[in-house]
Amino acid sequence: MQYQAVNLVTEYGAKLHGCKYAIASKHPQWKMEKRFEESLDQFRPYIFLTRKEYAAILESQQNDDKFHKSKEGVSKMLKPKFKFTLVPQFPANLL
């Protein structure tokens, strides 16, 4: 990974310090600016994150995914496996 863009609006519901994106990389920011200036233009203005800072966001995303998958699994388990047919019952004195 040279860099990873994180949409802050999607992740947190709002811009952060006027920035819609954060860029994470294992490389220092000056090197990123020099090597990927043109491709980074689409994300400007952005917040630069170190690899460790991005790891916290990535872990949160993975936990959210696990939570949503577990909720889907539980809802599937709660669905009845058999279809029941209601049979009208007659009073015993009419039989």
Side-chain angles (χ1 to χ4, degrees):
M1 165 187 94
Q2 296 299 325
Y3 69 86
Q4 178 68 41
V6 178
N7 186 325
L8 298 170
V9 175
T10 301
E11 200 62 38
Y12 299 106
K15 290 182 177 182
L16 184 60
H17 299 290
C19 298
K20 183 177 179 180
Y21 294 99
I23 302 295
S25 178
K26 63 181 179 179
H27 303 292
Q29 186 174 6
W30 66 268
K31 189 182 274 189
M32 291 295 302
E33 291 287 341
K34 187 175 178 182
R35 291 180 69 189
F36 302 105
E37 182 178 1
E38 288 182 24
S39 66
L40 290 174
D41 281 344
Q42 64 185 321
F43 302 112
R44 292 185 196 281
Y46 63 83
I47 296 171
F48 185 77
L49 301 174
T50 65
R51 187 185 333 181
K52 285 184 179 182
E53 291 167 332
Y54 176 64
I57 293 173
L58 184 60
E59 182 180 355
S60 173
Q61 290 172 339
Q62 291 169 343
N63 288 338
D64 287 346
D65 289 344
K66 287 178 189 176
F67 174 75
H68 292 296
K69 287 179 183 175
S70 70
K71 279 181 67 175
E72 290 171 8
V74 168
S75 66
K76 287 179 185 176
M77 290 182 348
L78 295 177
K79 289 183 181 178
K81 295 180 182 178
F82 305 101
K83 290 187 178 181
F84 296 98
T85 305
L86 294 177
V87 178
Q89 294 184 358
F90 294 101
N93 61 352
L94 292 178
L95 295 177

